[in-house]
Amino acid sequence: MANNMYITCLDLEGVLVPEIWIAFSKASGIPELKRTTRDEPDYDKLMKWRLGILKEHHLGLKEIQDTIATIDPMPGAKEFLDELRSLCQVIIISDTFTQFAAPLMKKLGMPTIFCNTLEVAPSGEITGFKMRCEQSKLTTVKALQSIGYQTIASGDSHNDLGMIKASKAGFLFKSTDQIKADNPTIPAFETYDELLNAIKKELV
């Protein structure tokens, strides 16, 4: 029986699917695009920097979407998500964009995702991005709590720490050694089985 008073909030990239920008960095042969929120905690700064590189190389949304079409969820991710969704409600909270996430959601069985939006010119050039709200992950978790839900959260990067620390239970998943070392009080897991078992204990 699902516990409906709990919502598990999961990061997307690095947790359920590979990092989109790392895949695009390989496909486009532009090594600078490998930088992610694991390297740069300031997401606004990171995205503006990425858009500058895309403009310089005349790359737009279509090229990135072509790469995303080749990305599959991490092995075991869909099964993990299916089982978790049978136990409680799940929302993926990501700093990615609807234009990137939509094809990946199909491969994951259409879970609910809260993310951001790209501003795209008719030519396909990505001209900017619109964040849903400030500190979207932490703000969303606090909003869910304000309407009576308990939250459990898991992610791998700097921008997940707010929601992890604010939740009833929070876990690092497939994170970096540095982030784990800087946050020794947060349990850190490497496999979906470990993460699922930790969440199950909270749902009892």
Side-chain angles (χ1 to χ4, degrees):
M1 179 66 192
N3 187 331
N4 288 323
M5 293 321 293
Y6 278 84
I7 295 182
T8 298
C9 300
L10 298 173
D11 178 34
L12 177 64
E13 293 179 64
V15 173
L16 298 169
V17 303
E19 293 277 355
I20 290 167
W21 287 97
I22 291 178
F24 187 61
S25 165
K26 286 178 189 156
S28 61
I30 304 169
E32 305 97 291
L33 288 174
K34 277 197 175 75
R35 278 176 76 77
T36 69
T37 46
R38 290 176 167 208
D39 314 297
E40 173 52 76
D42 185 333
Y43 191 74
D44 193 62
K45 191 171 154 189
L46 178 65
M47 270 309 297
K48 284 177 176 160
W49 182 79
R50 284 168 169 166
L51 294 188
I53 292 174
L54 292 178
K55 196 175 173 65
E56 196 184 307
H57 290 270
H58 307 290
L59 294 167
L61 179 60
K62 184 189 181 304
E63 287 80 8
I64 300 176
Q65 286 178 329
D66 287 347
T67 296
I68 292 169
T70 70
I71 296 176
D72 284 321
M74 291 176 174
K78 184 175 184 301
E79 293 76 9
F80 160 75
L81 206 50
D82 288 347
E83 185 163 352
L84 185 57
R85 287 167 78 188
S86 75
L87 301 172
C88 66
Q89 299 187 75
V90 179
I91 296 174
I92 296 171
I93 306 176
S94 172
D95 278 339
T96 192
F97 304 95
T98 47
Q99 293 95 331
F100 290 1
L104 295 167
M105 291 306 100
K106 284 186 186 150
K107 292 181 181 181
L108 285 169
M110 297 307 289
T112 300
I113 183 167
F114 293 171
C115 59
N116 304 304
T117 313
L118 289 169
E119 293 165 350
V120 185
S123 64
E125 183 193 339
I126 301 170
T127 54
F129 54 98
K130 193 169 172 10
M131 302 302 277
R132 195 166 45 82
C133 56
E134 281 286 305
Q135 287 190 292
S136 63
K137 298 184 182 195
L138 175 60
T139 306
T140 303
V141 156
K142 285 188 167 170
L144 292 169
Q145 291 164 354
S146 78
I147 53 171
Y149 288 101
Q150 294 271 21
T151 62
I152 297 169
S154 185
D156 69 325
S157 289
H158 289 285
N159 61 345
D160 298 310
L161 293 170
M163 73 170 179
I164 288 172
K165 289 174 179 172
S167 291
K168 180 177 181 285
F171 310 106
L172 286 167
F173 187 68
K174 295 184 185 288
S175 192
T176 66
D177 290 341
Q178 188 61 58
I179 292 173
K180 287 188 275 196
D182 291 344
N183 297 277
T185 58
I186 303 175
F189 302 118
E190 295 300 318
T191 72
Y192 291 119
D193 285 347
E194 289 172 327
L195 182 56
L196 192 63
N197 287 333
I199 295 170
K200 279 179 180 171
K201 283 180 187 149
E202 297 299 326
L203 295 174
V204 173

Coordinates of all heavy atoms in Angstrom, one line a residue, residues 70-129:
T70 N 19.7 9.8 -28.1 CA 20.5 8.6 -28.0 C 20.8 8.2 -26.5 O 21.4 7.2 -26.3 CB 21.9 8.9 -28.6 OG1 22.7 9.8 -27.8 CG2 21.8 9.4 -30.0
I71 N 20.3 9.0 -25.6 CA 20.6 8.7 -24.1 C 19.5 7.8 -23.6 O 18.3 8.1 -23.8 CB 20.6 10.0 -23.3 CG1 21.8 10.9 -23.8 CG2 20.7 9.8 -21.8 CD1 21.8 12.3 -23.1
D72 N 19.9 6.8 -22.9 CA 19.0 5.9 -22.2 C 19.1 6.1 -20.7 O 20.2 6.5 -20.2 CB 19.3 4.4 -22.5 CG 18.7 4.1 -23.9 OD1 17.6 4.6 -24.2 OD2 19.4 3.3 -24.6
P73 N 18.1 5.8 -19.9 CA 18.2 5.9 -18.4 C 19.3 5.0 -18.0 O 19.7 4.0 -18.7 CB 16.9 5.4 -17.9 CG 15.9 5.7 -19.0 CD 16.7 5.5 -20.3
M74 N 19.9 5.3 -16.8 CA 20.9 4.4 -16.2 C 20.4 3.0 -16.0 O 19.2 2.9 -15.7 CB 21.4 5.0 -14.9 CG 22.2 6.3 -15.1 SD 22.6 6.9 -13.5 CE 23.7 8.3 -14.0
P75 N 21.2 2.0 -16.1 CA 20.7 0.6 -15.9 C 20.0 0.5 -14.6 O 20.6 0.8 -13.6 CB 22.0 -0.2 -16.0 CG 22.9 0.6 -16.8 CD 22.6 2.0 -16.5
G76 N 18.8 0.0 -14.6 CA 18.0 -0.2 -13.3 C 17.2 1.0 -12.9 O 16.4 0.9 -11.9
A77 N 17.4 2.2 -13.6 CA 16.7 3.4 -13.1 C 15.2 3.3 -13.2 O 14.4 3.6 -12.3 CB 17.2 4.6 -13.9
K78 N 14.7 2.7 -14.4 CA 13.2 2.7 -14.5 C 12.6 1.7 -13.5 O 11.6 1.9 -13.0 CB 12.9 2.3 -16.0 CG 11.4 2.3 -16.2 CD 10.9 2.0 -17.6 CE 9.4 2.2 -17.7 NZ 8.7 1.2 -16.9
E79 N 13.3 0.5 -13.3 CA 12.8 -0.5 -12.4 C 12.7 0.1 -11.0 O 11.8 -0.1 -10.2 CB 13.7 -1.7 -12.4 CG 13.6 -2.5 -13.7 CD 14.4 -1.9 -14.9 OE1 15.1 -0.9 -14.7 OE2 14.2 -2.4 -16.0
F80 N 13.8 0.9 -10.6 CA 13.8 1.5 -9.3 C 12.7 2.5 -9.2 O 12.0 2.5 -8.2 CB 15.2 2.3 -9.2 CG 15.2 3.4 -8.1 CD1 15.3 3.1 -6.8 CD2 15.2 4.7 -8.5 CE1 15.3 4.1 -5.8 CE2 15.2 5.7 -7.6 CZ 15.2 5.4 -6.2
L81 N 12.5 3.3 -10.2 CA 11.4 4.3 -10.2 C 10.0 3.7 -10.1 O 9.2 4.1 -9.4 CB 11.5 5.2 -11.4 CG 11.0 6.6 -11.4 CD1 11.5 7.4 -10.2 CD2 11.4 7.3 -12.7
D82 N 9.8 2.6 -10.9 CA 8.5 1.9 -10.9 C 8.2 1.4 -9.5 O 7.1 1.5 -9.0 CB 8.6 0.7 -11.8 CG 8.5 1.1 -13.3 OD1 8.2 2.3 -13.5 OD2 8.8 0.3 -14.2
E83 N 9.2 0.8 -8.8 CA 9.0 0.2 -7.5 C 8.7 1.4 -6.5 O 7.8 1.3 -5.6 CB 10.2 -0.7 -7.0 CG 9.8 -1.3 -5.7 CD 10.7 -2.5 -5.3 OE1 11.5 -3.0 -6.1 OE2 10.6 -3.0 -4.2
L84 N 9.5 2.4 -6.6 CA 9.4 3.5 -5.7 C 8.0 4.2 -5.8 O 7.4 4.5 -4.8 CB 10.5 4.6 -5.9 CG 10.6 5.8 -5.0 CD1 10.7 5.4 -3.5 CD2 11.7 6.7 -5.4
R85 N 7.5 4.3 -7.0 CA 6.2 4.9 -7.3 C 5.1 4.0 -6.8 O 4.0 4.5 -6.6 CB 6.1 5.2 -8.8 CG 6.9 6.4 -9.3 CD 7.0 6.5 -10.8 NE 5.8 7.0 -11.4 CZ 5.6 7.1 -12.7 NH1 6.5 6.5 -13.5 NH2 4.5 7.6 -13.2
S86 N 5.4 2.7 -6.6 CA 4.3 1.9 -6.0 C 4.3 2.0 -4.5 O 3.3 1.6 -3.8 CB 4.6 0.4 -6.3 OG 5.6 -0.1 -5.6
L87 N 5.3 2.7 -3.9 CA 5.4 2.8 -2.4 C 5.0 4.2 -1.9 O 4.5 4.4 -0.8 CB 6.9 2.6 -2.0 CG 7.5 1.2 -2.3 CD1 8.9 1.2 -2.0 CD2 6.7 0.1 -1.5
C88 N 5.2 5.2 -2.8 CA 4.9 6.6 -2.4 C 4.9 7.4 -3.7 O 5.2 7.0 -4.7 CB 5.9 7.2 -1.4 SG 7.6 7.4 -2.1
Q89 N 4.4 8.7 -3.5 CA 4.5 9.6 -4.7 C 5.9 10.0 -4.9 O 6.7 10.2 -4.0 CB 3.5 10.8 -4.4 CG 2.1 10.3 -4.2 CD 1.1 11.4 -4.1 OE1 0.8 12.0 -5.1 NE2 0.7 11.7 -2.9
V90 N 6.2 10.3 -6.2 CA 7.5 10.6 -6.6 C 7.5 11.8 -7.5 O 6.7 11.9 -8.5 CB 8.3 9.5 -7.3 CG1 9.7 9.9 -7.7 CG2 8.3 8.2 -6.4
I91 N 8.3 12.8 -7.3 CA 8.4 14.0 -8.2 C 9.9 14.1 -8.5 O 10.8 14.1 -7.6 CB 7.9 15.3 -7.6 CG1 6.4 15.2 -7.3 CG2 8.2 16.5 -8.5 CD1 5.9 16.4 -6.5
I92 N 10.2 14.2 -9.8 CA 11.6 14.5 -10.2 C 11.7 16.1 -10.2 O 10.9 16.7 -10.9 CB 11.9 13.9 -11.6 CG1 11.9 12.4 -11.5 CG2 13.3 14.3 -12.0 CD1 11.9 11.7 -12.8
I93 N 12.7 16.6 -9.5 CA 12.9 18.0 -9.4 C 14.3 18.3 -10.0 O 15.3 17.9 -9.5 CB 12.8 18.6 -8.0 CG1 11.5 18.2 -7.3 CG2 12.9 20.1 -8.0 CD1 11.4 18.6 -5.9
S94 N 14.3 18.9 -11.2 CA 15.6 19.0 -11.9 C 15.8 20.5 -12.4 O 14.8 21.2 -12.6 CB 15.5 18.1 -13.1 OG 16.6 18.3 -13.9
D95 N 17.0 20.9 -12.5 CA 17.4 22.2 -13.0 C 17.5 22.1 -14.6 O 17.9 23.1 -15.2 CB 18.7 22.7 -12.4 CG 18.4 23.4 -11.1 OD1 17.3 23.8 -10.8 OD2 19.4 23.5 -10.3
T96 N 17.2 20.9 -15.2 CA 17.2 20.8 -16.6 C 15.9 21.5 -17.2 O 15.2 22.3 -16.5 CB 17.3 19.4 -17.1 OG1 17.6 19.4 -18.5 CG2 16.0 18.6 -16.9
F97 N 15.7 21.3 -18.5 CA 14.6 22.1 -19.2 C 13.6 21.1 -19.8 O 14.0 20.0 -20.2 CB 15.3 23.0 -20.2 CG 16.3 23.9 -19.6 CD1 17.7 23.5 -19.6 CD2 16.0 25.0 -19.0 CE1 18.6 24.3 -18.9 CE2 16.9 25.8 -18.3 CZ 18.3 25.5 -18.3
T98 N 12.4 21.6 -19.9 CA 11.4 20.7 -20.5 C 11.8 20.2 -21.9 O 11.5 19.1 -22.3 CB 10.0 21.5 -20.6 OG1 10.2 22.7 -21.2 CG2 9.4 21.7 -19.3
Q99 N 12.4 21.1 -22.7 CA 12.9 20.7 -24.0 C 13.9 19.6 -24.0 O 14.1 18.9 -25.0 CB 13.4 21.9 -24.8 CG 12.4 23.0 -25.1 CD 12.4 24.1 -24.0 OE1 12.7 23.9 -22.8 NE2 12.0 25.3 -24.4
F100 N 14.6 19.4 -22.9 CA 15.6 18.3 -22.8 C 14.9 17.1 -22.2 O 15.2 16.0 -22.5 CB 16.8 18.7 -21.9 CG 17.7 19.8 -22.5 CD1 17.5 20.3 -23.7 CD2 18.8 20.2 -21.7 CE1 18.4 21.3 -24.2 CE2 19.7 21.2 -22.2 CZ 19.5 21.7 -23.5
A101 N 14.1 17.3 -21.2 CA 13.6 16.2 -20.3 C 12.5 15.4 -21.0 O 12.4 14.2 -20.7 CB 13.1 16.8 -19.0
A102 N 11.7 16.0 -21.8 CA 10.5 15.2 -22.3 C 10.8 13.8 -22.9 O 10.2 12.9 -22.5 CB 9.8 16.1 -23.4
P103 N 11.8 13.7 -23.8 CA 12.0 12.3 -24.4 C 12.5 11.4 -23.3 O 12.3 10.2 -23.4 CB 13.1 12.6 -25.4 CG 13.6 14.0 -25.3 CD 12.7 14.7 -24.5
L104 N 13.3 11.9 -22.3 CA 13.8 11.0 -21.2 C 12.6 10.5 -20.3 O 12.7 9.4 -19.8 CB 14.9 11.7 -20.4 CG 16.1 12.1 -21.2 CD1 17.0 13.0 -20.5 CD2 16.9 10.8 -21.6
M105 N 11.6 11.4 -20.1 CA 10.5 11.0 -19.3 C 9.7 9.8 -19.9 O 9.3 8.9 -19.2 CB 9.5 12.2 -19.1 CG 10.1 13.3 -18.2 SD 10.7 12.8 -16.6 CE 12.5 12.7 -16.9
K106 N 9.6 9.8 -21.2 CA 9.0 8.7 -21.9 C 9.7 7.4 -21.6 O 9.1 6.4 -21.3 CB 9.0 8.9 -23.4 CG 7.9 9.9 -23.9 CD 7.8 10.0 -25.4 CE 6.9 11.1 -25.8 NZ 7.2 11.7 -27.1
K107 N 11.0 7.4 -21.6 CA 11.8 6.2 -21.3 C 11.7 5.8 -19.9 O 12.1 4.7 -19.5 CB 13.3 6.4 -21.7 CG 13.5 6.6 -23.2 CD 14.9 6.8 -23.6 CE 15.1 7.0 -25.1 NZ 16.5 7.1 -25.5
L108 N 11.3 6.7 -19.0 CA 11.2 6.4 -17.6 C 9.8 6.1 -17.1 O 9.5 6.0 -15.9 CB 11.8 7.6 -16.7 CG 13.3 7.7 -16.7 CD1 13.7 9.0 -16.1 CD2 14.0 6.6 -15.9
G109 N 8.9 6.0 -18.1 CA 7.5 5.7 -17.7 C 6.6 6.9 -17.3 O 5.7 6.8 -16.6
M110 N 7.0 8.1 -17.8 CA 6.3 9.4 -17.6 C 6.1 9.7 -16.1 O 4.9 10.0 -15.7 CB 4.9 9.3 -18.4 CG 5.1 9.2 -19.9 SD 6.1 10.5 -20.6 CE 5.1 12.0 -20.4
P111 N 7.1 9.8 -15.4 CA 7.0 10.3 -14.0 C 6.7 11.8 -14.0 O 7.0 12.4 -15.0 CB 8.3 10.0 -13.3 CG 9.3 10.0 -14.5 CD 8.5 9.4 -15.7
T112 N 6.3 12.3 -12.9 CA 6.1 13.8 -12.8 C 7.4 14.5 -12.7 O 8.3 14.0 -12.0 CB 5.2 14.1 -11.6 OG1 4.0 13.5 -11.7 CG2 5.0 15.6 -11.4
I113 N 7.6 15.5 -13.5 CA 8.9 16.3 -13.4 C 8.6 17.8 -13.3 O 7.7 18.3 -13.9 CB 9.8 16.0 -14.6 CG1 11.2 16.8 -14.4 CG2 9.2 16.3 -15.9 CD1 12.3 16.3 -15.3
F114 N 9.3 18.4 -12.4 CA 9.3 19.9 -12.3 C 10.6 20.3 -12.7 O 11.7 20.0 -12.2 CB 9.1 20.3 -10.8 CG 7.7 20.0 -10.2 CD1 7.5 20.2 -8.8 CD2 6.7 19.5 -11.0 CE1 6.3 19.9 -8.2 CE2 5.5 19.2 -10.4 CZ 5.3 19.4 -9.0
C115 N 10.7 21.1 -13.8 CA 12.0 21.7 -14.3 C 11.8 23.0 -14.9 O 10.8 23.7 -14.6 CB 12.6 20.7 -15.3 SG 11.7 20.3 -16.7
N116 N 12.7 23.5 -15.7 CA 12.7 24.9 -16.2 C 12.5 24.9 -17.7 O 12.3 23.9 -18.3 CB 14.1 25.5 -15.8 CG 14.3 25.4 -14.3 OD1 13.5 25.9 -13.5 ND2 15.4 24.8 -13.9
T117 N 12.5 26.1 -18.3 CA 12.3 26.2 -19.7 C 13.4 27.0 -20.4 O 13.9 28.0 -19.9 CB 10.9 27.0 -19.9 OG1 9.9 26.5 -19.0 CG2 10.4 26.9 -21.3
L118 N 13.7 26.6 -21.6 CA 14.6 27.3 -22.4 C 13.9 28.3 -23.3 O 12.8 28.1 -23.7 CB 15.4 26.3 -23.4 CG 16.4 25.4 -22.8 CD1 16.8 24.3 -23.8 CD2 17.6 26.1 -22.2
E119 N 14.6 29.4 -23.5 CA 14.1 30.4 -24.5 C 14.8 30.1 -25.8 O 16.0 30.2 -25.9 CB 14.3 31.8 -24.0 CG 13.5 32.1 -22.7 CD 14.0 33.3 -22.0 OE1 15.0 33.9 -22.3 OE2 13.2 33.8 -21.1
V120 N 14.0 29.8 -26.8 CA 14.6 29.4 -28.1 C 14.1 30.3 -29.3 O 12.9 30.5 -29.4 CB 14.2 27.9 -28.4 CG1 14.9 27.4 -29.7 CG2 14.6 27.0 -27.2
A121 N 15.0 30.8 -30.0 CA 14.7 31.6 -31.2 C 14.1 30.7 -32.3 O 14.4 29.5 -32.4 CB 15.9 32.4 -31.7
P122 N 13.4 31.3 -33.3 CA 12.9 30.5 -34.4 C 14.0 29.8 -35.2 O 13.8 28.7 -35.7 CB 12.2 31.6 -35.3 CG 11.9 32.7 -34.4 CD 12.9 32.7 -33.3
S123 N 15.2 30.3 -35.1 CA 16.3 29.7 -35.8 C 16.8 28.4 -35.1 O 17.6 27.7 -35.6 CB 17.5 30.7 -35.9 OG 18.0 31.0 -34.5
G124 N 16.3 28.3 -33.8 CA 16.8 27.1 -33.0 C 17.9 27.5 -32.1 O 18.3 26.7 -31.2
E125 N 18.4 28.7 -32.2 CA 19.4 29.2 -31.2 C 18.8 29.3 -29.8 O 17.6 29.8 -29.6 CB 20.0 30.6 -31.6 CG 21.1 31.0 -30.7 CD 21.5 32.5 -30.8 OE1 21.2 33.1 -31.9 OE2 22.0 33.0 -29.9
I126 N 19.5 28.8 -28.8 CA 19.0 28.9 -27.4 C 19.4 30.3 -26.9 O 20.6 30.6 -26.8 CB 19.5 27.8 -26.5 CG1 19.1 26.4 -27.0 CG2 19.0 28.0 -25.1 CD1 19.8 25.3 -26.4
T127 N 18.5 31.2 -26.7 CA 18.8 32.6 -26.4 C 18.8 32.9 -24.9 O 19.4 33.9 -24.4 CB 17.8 33.6 -27.1 OG1 16.5 33.2 -26.7 CG2 18.0 33.5 -28.6
G128 N 18.2 32.0 -24.1 CA 18.2 32.2 -22.7 C 17.4 31.1 -22.0 O 17.1 30.1 -22.6
F129 N 17.2 31.3 -20.7 CA 16.5 30.2 -20.0 C 15.6 30.9 -18.9 O 16.0 31.9 -18.4 CB 17.5 29.2 -19.4 CG 18.5 29.8 -18.6 CD1 18.4 29.8 -17.2 CD2 19.7 30.3 -19.1 CE1 19.4 30.4 -16.4 CE2 20.7 30.9 -18.4 CZ 20.6 30.9 -17.0

